[in-house]
Amino acid sequence: QQQVKQSPQSLIVQKGGISIINCAYENTAFDYFPWYQQFPGKGPALLIAIRPDVSEKKEGRFTISFNKSAKQFSLHIMDSQPGDSATYFCAADGGATNKLIFGTGTLLAVQP
Amino acid sequence: SQTIHQWPATLVQPVGSPLSLECTVEGTSNPNLYWYRQAAGRGLQLLFYSIGIDQISSEVPQNLSASRPQDRQFILSSKKLLLSDSGFYLCASPGQSNYGYTFGSGTRLTVV
């Protein structure tokens, strides 16, 4: 019940295309859903996050879509660029200790 | 805003040797602190978390231990390293917001 399932494991997108990464969770106590971007050899960096009281959040080319009833959320990267090539992690948080539970990651490659 | 410092950046240690990785946090007080490990090409596994000085919780039984001797200092240790301890170790904290972790730059540990 503490797991966050992420797919696909890897993704290749052409420059200018849309990258879509999906995550699903079971624990309805989760109340915060962030996405992290990680470049090789670096720590993950917070990209965008959403709470379950909204269905969508957009920041620039990055959009989170959230479906509370299905317990699913996804990251959409519009107009994907080679500089977006990185590993993306979804995560979920909830509870007094604020333990972030991470998905298994998606390696995104944007081809020029 | 908070900053998380980790050192060393890379480390190569022989099997059976001890380990001490240090994490310090600036810009916040009494933060929750977390140690994560990331195996090559894998997701982020929560190892330990701490909600205060000398308050440590272990998530996964293993060859490692953690200590928090000061409010902003979190140490990951081992008495005898195993080959399976190799990985990328990351320290994280949500800071005062309690959401949206900030990660340190990580330590790449290779046990040989």
Side-chain angles (χ1 to χ4, degrees):
Chain A
Q1 198 179 24
Q2 285 291 93
Q3 281 187 325
V4 177
K5 296 181 180 179
Q6 182 172 348
S7 63
Q9 189 173 9
S10 62
L11 181 62
I12 300 174
V13 174
Q14 296 296 315
K15 179 182 176 181
I18 302 174
S19 304
I20 301 175
I21 305 171
N22 301 298
C23 284
Y25 65 98
E26 290 292 328
N27 189 347
T28 56
F30 289 145
D31 62 358
Y32 176 73
F33 301 88
W35 284 89
Y36 285 81
Q37 180 188 56
Q38 184 181 30
F39 293 106
K42 305 294 184 183
L46 180 63
L47 188 61
I48 187 173
I50 198 169
R51 294 191 183 279
D53 54 345
V54 297
S55 60
E56 185 175 282
K57 183 173 182 180
K58 184 176 181 179
E59 290 183 2
R61 296 184 293 108
F62 300 91
T63 300
I64 300 178
S65 297
F66 187 83
N67 186 330
K68 188 175 182 179
S69 60
K71 292 185 282 187
Q72 296 175 348
F73 58 110
S74 59
L75 176 70
H76 296 236
I77 306 174
M78 311 301 288
D79 187 26
S80 299
Q81 300 296 312
D84 297 331
S85 298
T87 300
Y88 292 82
F89 292 95
C90 62
D93 191 1
T97 55
N98 297 109
K99 292 187 290 181
L100 267 182
I101 307 300
F102 284 87
T104 50
T106 297
L107 179 60
L108 171 65
V110 181
Q111 295 184 335
Chain B
S1 63
Q2 68 171 350
T3 304
I4 298 180
H5 300 280
Q6 277 188 254
W7 64 90
T10 60
L11 192 60
V12 180
Q13 292 285 98
V15 169
S17 63
L19 173 73
S20 180
L21 302 181
E22 188 161 344
C23 167
T24 59
V25 182
E26 289 182 1
T28 188
S29 59
N30 195 31
N32 288 352
L33 295 173
Y34 305 84
W35 277 112
Y36 283 86
R37 177 171 61 199
Q38 186 175 26
R42 303 287 294 276
L44 293 151
Q45 180 186 34
L46 178 62
L47 302 176
F48 300 95
Y49 70 91
S50 170
I51 61 173
I53 294 174
D54 294 330
Q55 300 180 68
I56 311 292
S57 295
S58 174
E59 288 294 296
V60 181
Q62 58 209 315
N63 184 42
L64 303 168
S65 62
S67 61
R68 186 169 176 178
Q70 300 179 39
D71 180 44
R72 301 176 194 179
Q73 184 184 31
F74 203 22
I75 298 173
L76 184 69
S77 304
S78 173
K79 292 182 179 179
K80 290 184 178 182
L81 284 169
L82 305 172
L83 287 174
S84 58
D85 292 323
S86 294
F88 191 41
Y89 288 84
L90 291 154
C91 180
S93 175
Q96 295 303 120
S97 71
N98 272 342
Y99 287 97
Y101 286 16
T102 298
F103 282 85
S105 54
T107 295
R108 173 77 58 192
L109 171 66
T110 304
V111 183
V112 296

